Amino acid sequence: LAQAAILALKAMHDARRAALEGPGAPEQAHAGDAPSQVGAPVAADTIVLDGREISRPLYMIFLSEADELIETLVEDAADWRERPERGATDAAMRAAHSLSGSASVVELAPVHDLAERLESFMQSQRVVGDAPSGAELQLVARIVERVRSMLHVFAAGHLPPHEPDALEAIAALAAYWHEKAQALAARTIAVDGP
């Protein structure tokens, strides 16, 4: 439901931006910009983050939703490290999925990419059923903290940078567990037949 509202707000924002790009658009200060960057046309319900316009309502909805989702992931990562045998939870998988989708809507690629790989790892881990190692769960906690930091940067009015090392680490973990899930599926088919 929240994703549908975000998509509807994004569509409205895109339509307004197209209407305002014509000549004679009002000149306003960009929220989050330094005073020396005042002058470009911006709608009253639009903010600018490092040169990129975004609907203020969309931004506020995203921040509110992201705050809840990241807290779910932080708490889950801490609990999972204490009880690795419990496996990925439905709540954490939903949070990673929702965060990935919402970040995509607001074009926040660094958060989208990390959350998407985190979700992929959790899905594969659930299929396999093995407990992740302490090092793997430490990586999960580190990725969740990186996402949280990125969200703080975004909330402060800036676009967070991509973090290729973090993305590479979580992508490798997701790929490893995906291969384990594929191998398990192949063994199941071989034993049970097609």
Side-chain angles (χ1 to χ4, degrees):
L1 185 57
Q3 289 222 285
I6 288 174
L7 289 172
L9 281 171
K10 184 173 186 331
M12 289 178 2
H13 168 70
D14 291 346
R16 275 194 206 123
R17 184 182 342 173
L20 289 172
E21 287 179 351
E27 294 187 7
Q28 296 183 4
H30 294 230
D33 282 355
S36 64
Q37 296 175 326
V38 174
V42 177
D45 64 345
T46 300
I47 61 172
V48 177
L49 304 172
D50 296 336
R52 198 184 87 219
E53 293 183 20
I54 185 169
S55 155
R56 183 177 305 278
L58 179 62
Y59 177 74
M60 299 309 290
I61 289 171
F62 172 78
L63 289 178
S64 175
E65 181 178 303
D67 188 49
E68 293 174 21
L69 297 171
I70 197 63
E71 287 310 313
T72 297
L73 289 170
V74 166
E75 291 169 10
D76 188 82
D79 182 63
W80 201 358
R81 287 181 74 185
E82 290 179 19
R83 299 181 304 132
E85 70 283 351
R86 71 151 167 90
T89 64
D90 290 337
M93 288 192 297
R94 276 193 308 273
H97 178 81
S98 295
L99 187 56
S100 174
S102 296
S104 180
V105 169
V106 296
E107 300 174 16
L108 190 54
V111 170
H112 163 77
D113 294 344
L114 291 175
E116 182 179 59
R117 278 17 169 250
L118 183 61
E119 178 192 12
S120 177
F121 157 69
M122 288 189 281
Q123 289 172 338
S124 294
Q125 187 280 325
R126 283 280 293 269
V127 168
V128 174
D130 295 343
S133 71
E136 290 170 330
L137 292 176
Q138 183 175 2
L139 173 62
V140 168
R142 188 174 62 108
I143 295 302
V144 168
E145 283 303 320
R146 293 310 316 137
V147 170
R148 178 191 247 177
S149 294
M150 289 176 171
L151 292 172
H152 287 169
V153 169
F154 192 65
H158 300 283
L159 297 175
H162 287 272
E163 295 198 15
D165 292 342
L167 181 58
E168 182 180 329
I170 193 63
L173 182 63
Y176 171 75
W177 280 84
H178 179 74
E179 288 175 15
K180 286 178 74 165
Q182 294 294 337
L184 177 63
R187 283 193 307 271
T188 301
I189 289 172
V191 170
D192 296 342

